[in-house]
Amino acid sequence: MEHNEEKMRSSFQVMAGLIGMVKPLLGFMVLAVLMGCIGNLAATFLTVFGGYGLLSAAGVYDGKPFYVIAAVLIIFAVFRGILRYAEQSCNHFIAFKLLARIRHQVFAALRKLAPARLDGSGKGNLISIITSDIELLEVFYAHTISPVAIAVITSVFMSVFIGYQHPAAGVLALVSYVVVGAVIPLLNGRKGKESGQKYRDSFGELNTAVLDNLYGLEELLQYGQTGKRMEKMAEQTEELEKTSKRLKKDENVQRISTDTVILVAGILMLVLCGYFVREGEMDFYQGVIAVIAVMSSFGPAAALSALSNNLNHTLASGNRVLNILEEKPVVEDVREGAELEEGTVACQNIGFRYQEAQDGVLKNFNADFEPGKIHGIFGRSGCGKSTLLKLMMRFYEADQGKITYGGENVNNIRTDSLRSGIAYVTQETFLFHDTIENNIRIADENATRQEVEDAAKKASIHEFIMSLPKGYDSRLTELGDCISGGEKQRIGIARAFLHKSRMILLDEPTSNIDSLNEGIILKSLKKEKEGKLILLVSHRKSTMGIADKVVQM
Ligand SMILES: Nc1ncnc2c1ncn2[C@@H]1O[C@H](COP(=O)(O)OP(=O)(O)O)[C@@H](O)[C@H]1O
Ligand SMILES: [Mg+2]
């Protein structure tokens, strides 16, 4: 059986993968970057033109008259505001469109991976991918791609502009941009990665502990464990505070080093230009403009310093999302194939082992199930009864042997035909936040109210439902946890009675139900069995009483 490895990609591969997902929005992304560049340059040139204006007023610069420069200034100021707004809204439009797209893709992937993927361990991981990982990608799209592009483009543009005043000044500017935008963030990023990871780990642990203690409060009170738990939580809080302080310190160091480099760059530029002006290699006004330009253009590069701390985390999230999208399902749906036909269901020499497991669950299992009969499947807990039903539903494929429906191999039957032709009651009934009627009705959307009630009667749950103030219209959210395990199970069984299929698979349907209600349900099953194939799994001998044939596993 194929094993799905957790794939680790390089940062570059993750970024390439994430950018690949945005293809349909690439136009918007280019637009956002373009507006960001122009907006940032407009801000820088506001100051530069201010310099030209002053120089012109002082009579040092006579390239353009003062009023022309003033008009340009005003235009730039207005542009700056409009472009900034446009860039931000463009970025967020992209990010949210993308998140919707990615969520859609992840759910499509999950749909393919289910039900096997939701069966095993690692379900919790999936939830964090669906919620926080995808959410974090917003940071990548809205606050990573475009700032980097903007910083590179504007810095190159400014280096050329300053280099136009004097080539050496241009080189100095370029070097300072690289130090502020790349060297400092990368150096700090390496250090921040550890404290950042530690912070998130402690944060996660504390979160889990709080929820755990909240949900388990009754048990903790009963066993007198609250004091101990409080101490543990206080320790964790302290740990979190320590890491948080370290993180703040790192951030401050980074901010201070960035500011220092910017200042030093300004001073160096002043010294350099002063030298060139005295040597006659530069006009005085050019020297002033070069200094003003470099001092006022670090914005985009400095913005990158805040980025690198998040980047590792974002890329790890991206890696997990890409893994889900590329994960191969344990079984592929059969899209073209035979219809599910009635007839004997035969299991021939079935052998099966779960991916992660050492030992096989089923070995050389043989059984024939015929229509018109109730077949009991009996065996101790853990012997593979539920697994057998999952193989029959083709949630997994058998490693050896075959399962046939009316002679047709289950692997050749269209998956939708197979699943809609069988009413399968699992060990865990899931109830939706909806009315009881709708919860039963999901088995057959077109059923009348009368049919829903009949099914409920067969499952011996009708009287309980009628005892509720709103009867079938009671919403399960309002009932909260007041519904017992047995009542839940009986709603699951009612669904199976409502589902008009010729095959019913019941996995421990009465495990939480008292013998009186069990008797009623088993009697209903007996009435239903005419022309139907019913499989009844149980580890209880008494339940097997109504079976026409019993298979011991
Ligand atoms: N998704 C799974 N992944 C790995 N092992 C599993 C999985 N589901 C069940 N098992 C293991 O397979 C064995 C048979 O399980 P199951 O079919 O549920 O037994 P039963 O229904 O007879 O109690 C058990 O040892 C169980 O731990
Ligand atoms: Mg079971």
Side-chain angles (χ1 to χ4, degrees):
M1 203 182 277
E2 192 181 346
H3 197 90
N4 281 305
E5 290 284 338
E6 282 283 299
K7 199 165 144 195
M8 283 309 289
R9 298 170 179 77
S10 71
S11 305
F12 183 75
Q13 284 172 313
V14 176
M15 286 196 225
L18 291 178
I19 293 173
M21 272 196 256
V22 311
K23 263 187 206 128
L25 289 163
L26 222 52
F28 280 99
M29 202 151 261
V30 171
L31 196 66
V33 170
L34 211 65
M35 288 190 295
C37 286
I38 300 174
N40 273 297
L41 289 174
T44 302
F45 276 91
L46 261 177
T47 327
V48 172
F49 279 113
Y52 275 122
L54 279 178
L55 290 167
S56 170
V60 184
Y61 170 72
D62 53 6
K64 291 269 179 303
F66 180 72
Y67 66 87
V68 173
I69 295 171
V72 170
L73 263 180
I74 293 170
I75 293 171
F76 270 46
V78 174
F79 253 80
R80 165 78 183 135
I82 296 174
L83 285 170
R84 176 119 195 109
Y85 177 81
E87 180 209 347
Q88 286 303 322
S89 51
C90 208
N91 266 337
H92 284 105
F93 171 77
I94 295 168
F96 290 117
K97 261 265 174 327
L98 268 175
L99 290 188
R101 235 180 98 78
I102 294 173
R103 284 201 182 100
H104 193 80
Q105 289 184 9
V106 167
F107 275 110
L110 285 178
R111 174 68 196 81
K112 233 176 33 184
L113 297 174
R117 189 63 167 80
L118 300 175
D119 195 27
S121 53
K123 235 188 296 191
N125 241 341
L126 272 183
I127 291 176
S128 85
I129 290 174
I130 295 170
T131 54
S132 47
D133 281 343
I134 294 183
E135 198 69 21
L136 244 190
L137 291 186
E138 196 253 346
V139 175
F140 178 75
Y141 289 116
H143 307 289
T144 306
I145 303 183
S146 77
V148 170
I150 290 169
V152 170
I153 294 172
T154 54
S155 298
V156 168
F157 187 94
M158 288 313 294
S159 303
V160 170
F161 175 77
I162 295 170
Y164 191 68
Q165 318 301 318
H166 192 288
V171 172
L172 173 61
L174 188 60
V175 171
S176 350
Y177 295 137
V178 171
V179 172
V180 169
V183 177
I184 294 180
L186 288 181
L187 284 182
N188 252 301
R190 208 161 296 156
K191 213 168 55 167
K193 190 176 173 183
E194 264 171 53
S195 6
Q197 190 56 46
K198 187 132 190 283
Y199 178 78
R200 279 184 296 274
D201 286 349
S202 335
F203 193 75
E205 273 166 33
L206 184 61
N207 250 342
T208 313
V210 170
L211 282 180
D212 228 25
N213 292 342
L214 197 63
Y215 287 132
L217 197 56
E218 265 178 63
E219 275 80 0
L220 294 178
L221 283 172
Q222 187 188 338
Y223 294 108
Q225 292 283 322
T226 47
K228 233 190 202 160
R229 289 276 175 155
M230 278 290 275
E231 270 170 41
K232 182 93 207 304
M233 249 161 49
E235 266 170 42
Q236 284 173 316
T237 311
E238 211 165 294
E239 184 61 36
L240 186 66
E241 204 181 304
K242 248 191 256 163
T243 351
S244 153
K245 268 197 190 132
R246 203 168 317 140
L247 212 59
K248 280 264 150 48
K249 211 183 92 201
D250 287 351
E251 272 172 27
N252 282 336
V253 169
Q254 177 153 351
R255 187 164 323 122
I256 291 166
S257 30
T258 303
D259 289 349
T260 310
V261 170
I262 293 176
L263 262 178
V264 170
I267 294 168
L268 282 180
M269 187 62 85
L270 187 65
V271 172
L272 191 72
C273 291
Y275 171 76
F276 286 141
V277 168
R278 224 181 21 204
E279 293 294 304
E281 284 189 39
M282 228 177 167
D283 278 336
F284 172 68
Y285 83 88
Q286 285 183 312
V288 174
I289 291 302
V291 174
I292 293 179
V294 82
M295 292 295 286
S296 59
S297 58
F298 276 103
L304 297 190
S305 69
L307 209 91
S308 68
N309 283 338
N310 290 327
L311 196 58
N312 293 312
H313 198 33
T314 312
L315 291 182
S317 293
N319 193 42
R320 284 191 289 268
V321 171
L322 291 173
N323 272 343
I324 281 282
L325 293 179
E326 286 173 14
E327 192 170 321
K328 290 257 182 312
V330 180
V331 282
E332 296 272 2
D333 280 4
V334 180
R335 293 190 192 290
E336 277 165 39
E339 287 280 339
L340 177 69
E341 298 288 350
E342 284 171 46
T344 301
V345 180
C347 301
Q348 297 166 15
N349 286 319
I350 301 292
F352 178 74
R353 180 175 66 84
Y354 283 104
Q355 267 180 22
E356 316 91 69
Q358 294 279 328
D359 299 324
V361 180
L362 297 171
K363 285 185 197 94
N364 284 324
F365 177 79
N366 285 287
D368 281 341
F369 306 115
E370 300 142 33
K373 286 201 173 118
I374 297 180
H375 292 270
I377 298 177
F378 174 68
R380 63 176 171 78
S381 156
C383 71
K385 303 180 296 296
S386 300
T387 306
L388 177 67
L389 296 192
K390 285 172 196 165
L391 289 174
M392 294 177 69
M393 295 302 286
R394 207 171 158 276
F395 291 172
Y396 299 90
E397 251 176 51
D399 299 328
Q400 273 135 34
K402 60 179 181 180
I403 296 175
T404 57
Y405 285 83
E408 187 72 67
N409 191 321
V410 68
N411 294 336
N412 300 330
I413 298 172
R414 276 204 345 268
T415 305
D416 56 352
S417 172
L418 177 75
R419 306 235 169 110
S420 65
I422 301 174
Y424 170 43
V425 180
T426 60
Q427 269 178 289
E428 294 269 333
T429 300
F430 182 83
L431 298 180
F432 294 92
H433 287 179
D434 202 340
T435 61
I436 291 191
E437 179 177 357
N438 287 339
N439 260 292
I440 298 176
R441 199 191 283 283
I442 63 156
D444 178 6
E445 306 230 24
N446 301 319
T448 61
R449 172 66 170 256
Q450 189 56 48
E451 285 171 318
V452 171
E453 285 188 21
D454 287 344
K457 276 177 196 153
K458 288 177 193 164
S460 189
I461 186 72
H462 176 71
E463 272 168 43
F464 164 76
I465 297 172
M466 293 313 284
S467 75
L468 298 169
K470 290 186 197 155
Y472 280 83
D473 296 322
S474 312
R475 296 189 72 84
L476 288 168
T477 36
E478 290 159 16
L479 295 175
D481 280 342
C482 298
I483 192 149
S484 78
E487 285 149 4
K488 226 167 145 176
Q489 222 170 13
R490 281 181 276 161
I491 292 179
I493 298 170
R495 283 174 181 163
F497 280 122
L498 188 64
H499 197 283
K500 292 184 190 70
S501 52
R502 316 291 292 168
M503 268 176 243
I504 305 176
L505 311 186
L506 300 152
D507 196 350
E508 313 257 10
T510 54
S511 58
N512 290 318
I513 298 172
D514 55 279
S515 50
L516 186 70
N517 281 311
E518 182 183 31
I520 298 174
I521 294 169
L522 294 180
K523 219 189 252 141
S524 317
L525 273 178
K526 213 164 191 163
K527 274 192 212 142
E528 287 285 302
K529 78 175 180 184
E530 202 58 48
K532 282 192 183 184
L533 195 162
I534 297 174
L535 265 179
L536 179 59
V537 168
S538 179
H539 66 272
R540 256 200 254 155
K541 198 123 211 174
S542 61
T543 313
M544 291 292 122
I546 74 148
D548 300 302
K549 275 170 113 178
V550 177
V551 177
Q552 168 88 38
M553 278 186 81

